[in-house]
Amino acid sequence: AAGFVAGFNDARENSSSAYAAVGTIGIVLMVIGAAYGSWKFFVNVDEVEVADNLWGSLVGFYAYALLFPAWWALNRLGQVPEPDDWVIFGTSGLAGVAVYLYRKWRHA
């Protein structure tokens, strides 16, 4: 999906609205597919797997909830550059995955 969006962004300036429509449909289908896949996964796993996922999700959320406002406030004080959305997104995701993998390793 990321490659499709990147290619779309490169071609967008010289293209028709059909590219935008195809890109939009692709993104919507990807989100629906991910939501459906997550639902199917969670209804078919045991409580230990659900707990591991919940811990990972919680830590990822906390990483985002703490990192973004702290970075924003430090930027307002002139201490750091403006918050980088992708760095915060990636850090949050990595934090969640790290906790998930730690719990899997600990219980193995």
Side-chain angles (χ1 to χ4, degrees), residues 41-63:
F41 173 77
F42 280 110
V43 298
N44 291 309
V45 296
D46 63 10
E47 63 276 356
V48 176
E49 181 65 31
V50 171
D52 293 342
N53 273 276
L54 288 174
W55 271 104
S57 297
L58 179 68
V59 169
F61 171 75
Y62 270 77

Side-chain angles (χ1 to χ4, degrees), residues 9-33:
N9 282 336
D10 291 342
R12 159 174 73 177
E13 292 180 12
N14 299 323
S15 65
S16 68
S17 62
Y19 283 110
V22 169
T24 301
I25 290 168
I27 291 168
V28 168
L29 289 175
M30 183 185 68
V31 169
I32 291 170

Side-chain angles (χ1 to χ4, degrees), residues 67-84 88:
L67 183 58
F68 178 77
W71 194 339
W72 177 85
L74 289 171
N75 171 259
R76 298 291 294 198
L77 294 171
Q79 300 299 311
V80 296
E82 188 169 327
D84 186 328
I88 295 170

